[in-house]
Each structure stands twice: as C-alpha cells, then as structure tokens.
Amino acid sequence: MADGTPRTSIVAEQAADRLYIIDARNGIERRLLLDWIHATSNDVGGDDEPAWASIDIEDGDHALPVDVLRARLGGAPSRQIVPLRVAWRIPGFDKERALKFRHLIFGDPRHPGGLRARLILLRDRRRAQILIGEAATLDALRDRFCAQTGGGDGEGADSPEFAGFVARQAALALDVAERGIRGTRYKVPRFVADGLRTSPKFRAALAELSEKTGRPVGDLYREARPLMKEVIARPSALFLDMRARLDRMMFGGYAPEMEIDAAELAKLRSILREHSTAILFTHKTYIDGATPSRLAYENDLPMLHSFGGANLDFAVMGEFFRRSGMIFIRRSFQDQPVYKLVLRHYIAWLLAKRFPLSWAFEGTRSRLGKLMPPKYGLMKYVLDAAHATGTRGVHFVPFVTSFDLIRDVEEYAAEQTGRNKKPESLSWFLGYMKSLKAPSGRIRLDIGNPVVIDAAPAPDDKRALETIAFAVAVEANRVTPLTVTSVMCLILLGMAPRGATSAELLGAIGAVTDWARARDIRLSSELESGDDAALSATVDTLVASGLLTRYEAGSENVYSIDPAKHPMASYYRNIIAHHFLDRAMIELALFELRDGDSGDATAAFWAKIDRLRDLFKFEFFYPPRDEHRAAIEAELTRIDPVWDRRLASGDRGIAQLLRRCQPVVGHAILLPFAEAYSVVAELLARAKPGDVVDEQASLDAALAEGKQAWLLRRISSEAAIGKLLFANGLSLMRHMGLTTDATPPNLAARRALLMELRGLANVMETMRLSTVALADRLPGSGG
C-alpha cells in the first residue's frame, strides 16, 4: 500500500474480494467516494454490494476510530485493501503557489469542511479529484505489521492495533498518490508518534532505560508521550505554503531569483531521493536557514526538517514554524534520559524514512564572517541515531549561502564592542522582518560534495565525530565563492586609509579574479562573467547601504570604506579569508625574511610558516601539517616555478619572489588578528607578579584597552576590537601556558609574545605600504 511498489489496477476478478478504505473528512467526501465505488463496481460487473469502511484518518495524539474497520478486516489473505480519498484542487495554484491570508482564517482550501465542499462542487465539480492509493493484500499488510511493530497485540482481524496500522498504511498510500498531483514538496511525515510507540527498537530502548533507572516502563512511556508532542514537528501543506510566502517576504530586499548551478541542484535532487540526508548550512544571518527550505520548495524537492533552539519557540511563531517543519530542541537536556531517547529515535525515524534534515553546523551565527568551529551536538545525535538503528549511507551535504549584504552585520559589530544582544521576541521578529525590505543585492547558493558516512561511528568515538565535522567545514570553505562585496572589502581594507579610483579598483578586482580562476576558486556571477553592468549595480547597492563610500566631486570616482565601517567590512572580507590564507602566510614569511642574510633561507621560511600556523590556529581550519605544507608548496609553484632555488639563494631570491607576489594581500587577511592578540598580550604583560588571570575580566578590559589603542593608533583599525578576537587571543595564550599565575618567567614570555605580535603588525604595515605604492601600476589604472 505504501511500500513504493507500482500501483495495480482493479480488475473484475478482484471485484468480489476487496475492501475500500474511505479516508473522508465529511459527508460530502464520503458521498463522492461511495458514488465512485458503486460506479466502478457496476463497470466491472460485480453483483455483491461493495465492502467499505469510512474513517477520517487524522494524524493526531488520539487513537483512530477503527471499530468499523476492525469488523470488516476479515477475509482471505489475498483480499485487496484499496484506499480512497478526495483531492481538492485550487484553481491556478500550480502556477503562482500563492495562498491568501483568508486561508489562515477559513482553513486550507485543499481540506474543505462539509459546507465549503458543497459550495465548491456547485461552482466546479472538477476541483474534486478521486485518488486511489496503492492497494495491498491482507497477507502483505500482516507481514508488514509484524516487521514494523514486532506483532504488537496480534495481527488478527479483530486486533485494534492491526486495524490502526492498516488505516495508517492506507493514509500513507494516499499521500503518495496525492503527491503525484501536488508535488514532492508536500512530502510530510505522518503518524510519527504512532510509529515510535509501536517500534520494537523504541520499546526495547524504554525497557533498557527502565533497567538502568529502576523506573517502570509504564512510567517512562507516560513521560515520553508529552515529550513526543514537544519534539515532533507537524508540517502540513498549508503551513509549508505559508512558510514559503514568509521566506519570499524575508528575501524581499534581494533579487527575486537565487543563483544556483543547475548541475548542483540536479545532484542534490538525486541525493535527497536516494539517501538519508542532512543539509548542513553555514550560518551568517538569521535568514540563511531559510535558503535551503526555499530552494527545496521552489524546486519541488522534499521538505526539510530544520532545528531551532527552544528560545525561538515563542508565542504564535513557535507553532507556525513547528507546523512548517522546525524541530525545537532544549538548550540543555544532559540529565533528561527520556527526552534524549525520544529525540534520538525521532531523528532515526526521519532518517529511515528519508526525510531530509537541515541545521547550521556551526551552531550559532558567525560574528566574524569566517567559518566558526563546528558544534557537534546535532551531528552526534544524528550519527548516534544512525548507529543505533543501523542506518547506512547518511549524506552530510555542505550548503553555503552568499549574500551581497547581510543585515545582521551591523548588530555583530556592535556586539563585538560589548553591547548586549537583543533577546528574540515577536516584536523583535517584526522589526527584523521590516529591516529586510531594504535593497540588499543578490543571493547565491553553493552546494558542496556530500560527506558520506557508510556506517555511523560508535557513540563514544569522538575522533570520528570531529573528523566528519572537519570534513564538512573544509568542503563548505571550498565552495564558498568570492563575491563583489567580499572582494571589494578585501581590496579597500588592504589599501586603507587610502581609497581607490574606479580604474584602480577594476584592476585589483581583475587581478584577484584571475588569481582565483587559476586555483578553481568559485566566483559570483558578476565576477565570473565580467558583466560591468551587473558589477556596477552591486557596487551601487553597497554604496547606498553605507558600507562603501564613493566620492564623485573630483575628476575620478574614488571608493573607500569609512573607518567606522571597518568592523562591518572586515566581516565580508573574513568570509573569503580562508581562500587567501596560504598566500598570506607565504607573503608574511617572505617579508619577515627579506632583510635577512644572503644564505639559504629555506629552513627559516618553513619555520616562519609553522609559527604563523601556530599563532592563528584558533582562527582557521588547517589540514594536517604534511598536507598543509604540500598546499603551500603548490601555491609557491604558482607564484614562481623555481621558488625553491629562490629561497636557497637568500635575500636576492626572496626579493624576486616578493616581486612576483604583488599585489600582496597578507596584511589585509592577518593584520586584525595580530593586532587584537597584541591588545590581550599587552594587558597580560602588564600584570604584577602573583596576579591571577580572570578571563572574563580580561576580556572586558581588552575592549577598553582596544579602544584606547585605536585612538592612539597603536592598532590600525577598529576591526581589531572584538570580544571573539580577544577571546581567541586569550585561548592562544592559554594554549602557550601564559595564563597561569604571573611569575617572572611567565611575564617575560608574555612580553616576548607581545613583541612578536607587534613585529608582525609592523611587517604587515610595510606590506600595506607596498600595496599602496603599487596602486598606480595595477592593470586598468589611469596612471
């Protein structure tokens, strides 16, 4: 009935031995279906009154009324059970998919009440379409019942559990048939709680928990029932349509169409159809979680179950999102074994039925732009569920959304300077939605290759979990494209406080995009095509938003970034910083070595690379050292095929390598981190012997000291002032053993680190000056 086998037609030989299950919500639907049954019986020449049972097969928390069905489930094992339903069409809906606000008040027109159904039929009977679900024999249903429930209370004709199972299978078969006319986007889970309660694995898990806790199974079961209601999402077609409309409203300030490669979309469609899948998206803003669901809806892909914190389950919106597929999870449930059990088996149920999941694998929005370290919680629960149920071939699909402008960035910049985050509420949500109406450019979607887990690791295999999460992060970084916004912020921050003329900017953009193409780094459509009109339109949007300034009174247009906007511009620059990290490390190491002696600099160069890797280990994802060295060597080869001989020749060869590196970008990538760390190092270096490091107090003090350093121009930009930057600097010092009690040797080591960081900042200032000096010679310059 719902096992996916081809639907069979009803032939005359079967007419005398079949039972129709009528899924009818009201008398009008029942009458339509009975008329069809009698007409069909007459067509095949049957003399006997056809057997049928009418039931409203609702997916609720109450038992289905199956008494009539129980009484009629007898008969030969070969007896055919045929499900029927009326599908109500909405005129013109398939074209625009636009529900009206009145549908929230009067209900989904696809599920009309009796009076409404009667009025529809009076206007247009063609809107009522008879659906015939996949038929199944009683014998096949009994086998399926035993396989899925372990037999329950028995599979006899008078078994209420078996009758309920048959009714649910009929509804599922009808859902499959209905998706044939409405689309795969409406594939929603049905009877989840019933499926869990009757699952032998769930019952066995409750029994095992009973033994561990000493509590009766009945008590655990009673505790589990309301938890299922709390955890299980209840999506429906009406709310999926309304959610799609909300998504379109969220993106009202962006271009109407999201950009995505057709081949990547086709590949995703195949993965969702054939495998248990989790879409793991990068998290830059509140609304990037809506881009996978919007993509799925607009392209008739299966709906995605997303995850949200319980803090978002407020007022009306919590119920709205639960009905459109969101699973709300408590922030902490370490000591709640029944809750954990219900959540794990619910996830396993979704995986087994191939309902795709979706969540932000960073766990929280990135406040700095670059990818945050993955949070393992949800991934561990998915893997534990797959391990417990033997689900194989889970596909973790990295999903990257790139926005020309992100409305949250101004909030992030304020948070990083110490302002408290506003709590979510309905009024906050409405205000945020209003802010999204401002013109914000384009949206681009990039889908990485899936990280395939053939067999889920054991729950205690922490290393395997970390390896999987790291693989997802690396792939997400790989498919992150360069955009106009990120590239312009990279260039202008690298030249600041000097601006750049239009010609200089175009020349620098051309140099960066050529560099990216040679390394197979993805580019946004404007950069890839070289479409000047599209590029100008995006730049106009950035200027109108205030992120960039454009001076137009002189003989040439000059672009720059106001110093007060540097923290915001740094966010966009950081989104693509990982693409330039190897290059930045090479440039910085070469600049440090350029005034060295004339001897072989090879060993010193690799020592510098290793030191930079260690200094910024809390900011970036690195491959293992051998792989990272190979990547550095590959980048050196692109710069100069004989780089090894240049290094071996000392300062003259280094100067030649540096000329081939122009224009340099290392200072634009690494300077804010070095300056932020220097603020923390100076704070701790000023401690008195015996002082204890209070980390929270140190972070608070660093915000004040950072502002002072900026005013005194000891740091070059307010982009180096931020709680997360300071926290990572403190993590580095902790890792180096410099946050223990202040002893004379410890204080000396802190001062040494401070001098090292300041030295790096000075070298990067030299790099910036070299970039400014080169500006007039960039391709496209008028000089």
Side-chain angles (χ1 to χ4, degrees):
M1 206 180 290
D3 58 359
T5 55
R7 188 179 306 144
T8 54
S9 59
I10 302 171
V11 296
E13 290 78 4
Q14 300 169 333
D17 196 17
R18 64 179 182 266
L19 171 66
Y20 294 102
I21 295 181
I22 296 175
D23 181 12
R25 286 173 287 269
N26 51 64
I28 297 296
E29 292 185 351
R30 186 181 304 111
R31 186 70 263 160
L32 283 171
L33 293 170
L34 285 174
D35 287 346
W36 181 90
I37 290 172
H38 285 97
T40 302
S41 298
N42 292 334
D43 288 343
V44 298
D47 296 326
D48 298 331
E49 183 70 15
W52 55 272
S54 179
I55 180 173
D56 182 4
I57 314 176
E58 291 185 343
D59 185 3
D61 195 39
H62 55 275
L64 292 172
V66 295
D67 291 343
V68 174
L69 180 60
R70 284 176 61 192
R72 299 180 182 179
L73 271 180
S78 60
R79 189 182 195 192
Q80 292 279 321
I81 309 300
V82 183
L84 300 176
R85 177 188 293 166
V86 177
W88 298 88
R89 309 298 291 265
I90 305 175
F93 181 71
D94 290 340
K95 183 178 181 180
E96 297 183 359
R97 318 206 70 80
L99 285 179
K100 309 299 183 184
F101 180 73
R102 67 175 182 269
H103 296 144
L104 281 179
I105 301 174
F106 298 107
D108 191 343
R110 287 162 295 201
H111 303 294
L115 177 59
R116 195 177 185 186
R118 189 186 300 273
L119 293 174
I120 290 173
L121 292 176
L122 288 174
R123 290 195 298 268
D124 186 0
R125 294 187 65 88
R126 292 173 299 178
R127 287 181 58 183
Q129 181 172 339
I130 306 299
L131 290 179
I132 309 170
E134 176 89 29
T137 65
L138 274 174
D139 198 38
L141 287 168
R142 290 189 182 106
D143 289 344
R144 205 180 302 167
F145 176 68
C146 290
Q148 294 184 20
T149 71
D153 59 3
E155 68 271 17
D158 60 348
S159 163
E161 193 167 328
F162 177 61
F165 176 82
V166 171
R168 292 192 297 273
Q169 290 289 293
L172 293 174
L174 289 165
D175 288 348
V176 171
E178 192 162 356
R179 287 200 296 273
I181 62 171
R182 301 203 192 278
T184 305
R185 61 174 59 83
Y186 298 117
K187 179 186 176 183
V188 299
R190 299 281 306 274
F191 313 111
V192 182
D194 288 316
L196 292 181
R197 285 193 292 262
T198 59
S199 165
K201 290 182 178 179
F202 182 76
R203 290 172 171 173
L206 278 180
E208 183 179 348
L209 183 60
S210 174
E211 290 183 7
K212 288 182 179 179
T213 61
R215 295 177 57 189
V217 172
D219 286 352
L220 296 175
Y221 177 76
R222 282 188 288 274
E223 183 180 343
R225 283 183 67 94
L227 292 176
M228 289 181 188
K229 188 174 182 180
E230 174 187 340
V231 169
I232 295 172
R234 304 186 304 276
S236 68
L238 173 65
F239 282 89
L240 291 177
D241 290 334
M242 297 305 296
R243 171 68 184 273
R245 184 169 183 176
L246 176 64
D247 287 347
R248 288 193 292 271
M249 291 172 57
M250 282 184 176
F251 300 115
Y254 294 94
E257 300 296 327
M258 301 189 297
E259 298 176 8
I260 185 170
D261 181 76
E264 287 188 354
L265 179 60
K267 184 177 180 180
L268 179 63
R269 187 185 304 276
S270 175
I271 290 171
L272 293 177
R273 182 175 60 248
E274 298 173 7
H275 303 285
S276 302
T277 306
I279 291 178
L280 307 189
F281 59 86
T282 55
H283 202 13
K284 302 293 190 292
T285 168
Y286 281 110
I287 63 174
D288 50 16
T291 56
S293 61
R294 178 183 170 188
L295 178 73
Y297 184 89
E298 291 181 350
N299 291 278
D300 198 26
L301 301 175
M303 63 145 290
L304 308 177
H305 281 76
S306 58
F307 292 90
N311 61 309
L312 296 176
D313 188 8
F314 55 81
V316 177
M317 296 311 299
E319 181 63 13
F320 175 86
F321 284 115
R322 182 177 280 107
R323 296 299 303 275
S324 57
M326 182 169 284
I327 302 167
F328 291 107
I329 297 182
R330 298 175 182 179
R331 285 190 178 273
S332 176
F333 46 87
Q334 188 63 35
D335 299 321
Q336 302 170 49
V338 180
Y339 182 90
K340 288 196 289 186
L341 187 148
V342 168
L343 179 60
R344 179 179 292 115
H345 281 264
Y346 175 39
I347 292 174
W349 189 95
L350 292 172
L351 289 174
K353 303 296 183 182
R354 295 183 183 170
F355 286 102
L357 308 174
S358 176
W359 73 87
F361 71 97
E362 298 164 273
T364 185
R365 292 174 296 156
S366 172
R367 265 56 174 192
L368 296 178
K370 60 188 180 61
L371 206 62
M372 301 284 284
K375 290 292 192 298
Y376 302 130
L378 284 171
M379 180 175 284
K380 176 172 172 53
Y381 261 81
V382 169
L383 290 172
D384 287 354
H387 182 270
T389 57
T391 302
R392 303 179 68 89
V394 176
H395 283 49
F396 291 113
V397 180
F399 190 101
V400 176
T401 305
S402 301
F403 301 91
D404 283 342
L405 283 172
I406 299 172
R407 291 296 156 190
D408 308 47
V409 170
E410 186 173 1
E411 172 199 332
Y412 299 154
E415 279 183 29
Q416 289 306 300
T417 59
R419 194 183 76 182
N420 292 329
K421 175 179 176 288
K422 292 181 179 179
E424 291 90 353
S425 65
L426 183 58
S427 61
W428 163 87
F429 178 78
L430 295 175
Y432 183 75
M433 290 291 294
K434 184 178 180 181
S435 74
L436 295 174
K437 295 179 180 179
S440 301
R442 303 186 183 201
I443 299 173
R444 174 189 168 110
L445 307 179
D446 288 89
I447 303 171
N449 293 321
V451 177
V452 182
I453 312 303
D454 180 48
D460 58 351
D461 193 343
K462 184 178 179 181
R463 176 60 62 86
L465 177 65
E466 292 173 348
T467 300
I468 294 168
F470 180 79
V472 172
V474 169
E475 182 63 10
N477 269 339
R478 185 188 71 81
V479 300
T480 298
L482 306 190
T483 65
V484 173
T485 308
S486 59
V487 170
M488 290 193 70
C489 288
L490 171 71
I491 294 168
L492 291 174
L493 287 173
M495 297 181 69
R498 183 189 189 277
T501 66
S502 297
E504 291 169 348
L505 203 50
L506 286 173
I509 290 172
V512 170
T513 53
D514 288 345
W515 179 89
R517 286 192 187 96
R519 289 150 183 82
D520 291 327
I521 295 172
R522 299 188 179 199
L523 300 170
S524 67
S525 59
E526 309 99 307
L527 296 178
E528 184 64 61
S529 66
D531 185 338
D532 290 342
L535 178 62
S536 296
T538 303
V539 171
D540 289 344
T541 299
L542 301 181
V543 171
S545 74
L547 180 65
L548 305 185
T549 61
R550 179 166 56 200
Y551 180 75
E552 301 177 282
S555 58
E556 295 182 86
N557 287 348
V558 176
Y559 293 88
S560 62
I561 299 174
D562 188 291
K565 299 289 187 180
H566 278 202
M568 295 174 60
S570 291
Y571 188 96
Y572 295 102
R573 184 263 327 275
N574 288 345
I575 292 174
I576 61 170
H578 60 279
H579 286 307
F580 298 88
L581 182 59
D582 290 347
R583 174 79 175 214
M585 294 172 74
I586 289 170
E587 293 172 359
L588 188 49
L590 291 174
F591 264 88
E592 285 192 277
L593 292 170
R594 71 174 185 166
D595 296 324
D597 57 38
S598 59
D600 190 337
T602 303
F605 172 82
W606 289 112
K608 294 287 186 185
I609 294 292
D610 285 342
R611 182 56 177 167
L612 292 171
R613 175 186 168 107
D614 288 341
L615 283 175
F616 301 113
K617 67 192 305 177
F618 292 97
E619 302 294 348
F620 300 102
F621 296 100
Y622 298 119
R625 285 189 184 274
D626 290 346
E627 293 180 24
H628 191 208
R629 177 162 178 150
I632 295 286
E633 290 177 345
E635 181 62 22
L636 281 165
T637 300
R638 295 187 188 100
I639 294 170
D640 189 334
V642 294
W643 62 269
D644 50 345
R645 288 192 298 214
R646 306 282 191 207
L647 284 178
S649 65
D651 55 353
R652 179 176 297 179
I654 289 172
Q656 291 173 317
L657 281 172
L658 283 173
R659 283 195 293 272
R660 291 175 178 270
C661 285
Q662 296 293 341
V664 294
V665 297
H667 61 294
I669 300 299
L670 294 175
L671 182 57
F673 304 108
E675 289 185 336
Y677 288 11
S678 71
V679 171
V680 177
E682 181 177 11
L683 190 66
L684 269 62
R686 292 204 307 257
K688 297 177 181 178
D691 283 355
V692 177
V693 175
D694 181 324
E695 295 198 4
Q696 185 56 54
S698 296
L699 292 177
D700 292 340
L703 288 172
E705 293 296 320
K707 181 66 173 178
Q708 175 181 286
W710 158 241
L711 293 173
L712 295 173
R713 295 306 186 263
R714 292 174 181 164
I715 58 176
S716 62
S717 169
E718 286 186 280
I721 303 173
K723 291 189 293 184
L724 287 176
L725 291 172
F726 295 147
N728 287 344
L730 201 57
S731 295
L732 173 67
M733 297 188 73
R734 187 190 313 113
H735 176 74
M736 298 173 68
L738 302 182
T739 57
T740 56
D741 293 354
T743 61
N746 190 299
L747 290 170
R750 293 177 186 178
R751 287 191 290 271
L753 177 63
L754 173 61
M755 291 301 102
E756 181 182 10
L757 291 168
R758 284 181 173 172
L760 284 175
N762 289 336
V763 170
M764 285 188 269
E765 173 61 14
T766 304
M767 296 169 68
R768 184 191 69 81
L769 292 173
S770 75
T771 300
V772 170
L774 185 68
D776 287 339
R777 303 202 305 274
L778 287 174
S781 171

